[in-house]
Structure formats: C-alpha cells, structure tokens
Amino acid sequence: PTFIVLKLMVLNQLGQTKDWQNASQRAFLGFPGINSIQLEVARAALRLGHLDVAEKELKVLLNRDKSLIKARTALAELYARTNKEVNRQKQLLLSLSDTVSPADQLGFLKDHGKAIASLGRLAEADKLWIFCLDQAKKARRPHDALACARAALEAYFWLAPVEKWPAWIKRME
C-alpha cells in the first residue's frame, strides 16, 4: 500500500485529478481498511466537486480515527466551500484540542489558511496564519513557524497587492 499511496500523491501533485480519483477508487477496493487510501478517495472527490461523496468518506475516516488531521483539514475545507461555517469552526476547534499534537495543530492552521485563501477569504486566512505563527513560536517550532509564514507569503503573492507583503516579511523577522 505504501507505493500505491505515493503514486496517488504524485497523481494529485501533477494535477491529474481524474486519474487520481480512478486510481484512488481502485486502490480503495483492494485495500479498504487503509486510511491514507480512503483519504485520497475523499480528497479527489473534494477536488472534483463531489462534495457529498467527500463528506461521507471524511466522516467515516474521522469516526475510525479522530486524530487523522488531514481528513479534518479536508472536511473543514469542504465546509468552507459550502458555507457551513458552524461545521467548519467545529473542525477548527477539534484540530486545536489538547489531544492533538502541536505539529498537527500547526499543520491544520497552515493548510486550512491556504484553503480559506483559495476561496478568496484572505483576511480570514491571515488570522489563521498569524495564530499559527504565534503558536509555533510559543511551542518553539521554528520550522512550523516558517511553513505558516511561507504559506501566507505565497497567498499574498497571488492575491494581495505588493503594498501588503511587507507586513508578513516583518512578521518573519
């Protein structure tokens, strides 16, 4: 299953969404109990706009393993896309609970910020990244702080006027 998951990740990164979906579904039939494969099925469905399928698969995954932060991140993105703010915020709060490792909390904040920014909600994403940066500093996790700042700068590069970039450059100092 490890090489299958790697293949699925490569198809995702290459933007071959339909192939990714088909390969994910075939892999899931062969390995129905492997969370990482079921996660790829759900993420491919989410990308293709099959939101009901994605939500169902993500909920099954989270019922089986509540600590699967990538599933929680995808479900929060789905709820953001469908304007189910109460559900999205619930996923945010669950991802920040004491039972979630600092690395997973920071990863959620970074990735959810990217998802929110991709929906045109840069100001909200900015708040997530600032919180991520602050939490990473408190947890003495400089790599995670840098990852959050990098996500913010990438979004600002594409979505914000140049005049707004210096605020994030200053935060990185």
Side-chain angles (χ1 to χ4, degrees), residues 51-60 75 78-79 84:
L51 303 181
D52 291 340
V53 171
E55 183 176 20
K56 177 184 155 272
E57 296 295 337
L58 292 167
K59 285 180 174 180
V60 167
L75 190 57
L78 184 147
Y79 289 143
K84 295 180 179 176

Side-chain angles (χ1 to χ4, degrees), residues 106-127:
L106 297 168
F108 177 92
L109 291 168
K110 173 186 62 82
D111 292 338
H112 189 51
K114 289 161 97 173
I116 293 294
S118 74
L119 296 172
R121 295 159 57 177
L122 187 59
E124 187 176 347
D126 200 51
K127 291 175 188 174

Side-chain angles (χ1 to χ4, degrees), residues 22-33 37 41:
N22 291 335
S24 296
Q25 289 172 336
R26 282 192 312 275
F28 185 62
L29 290 173
F31 302 97
I37 292 174
V41 170

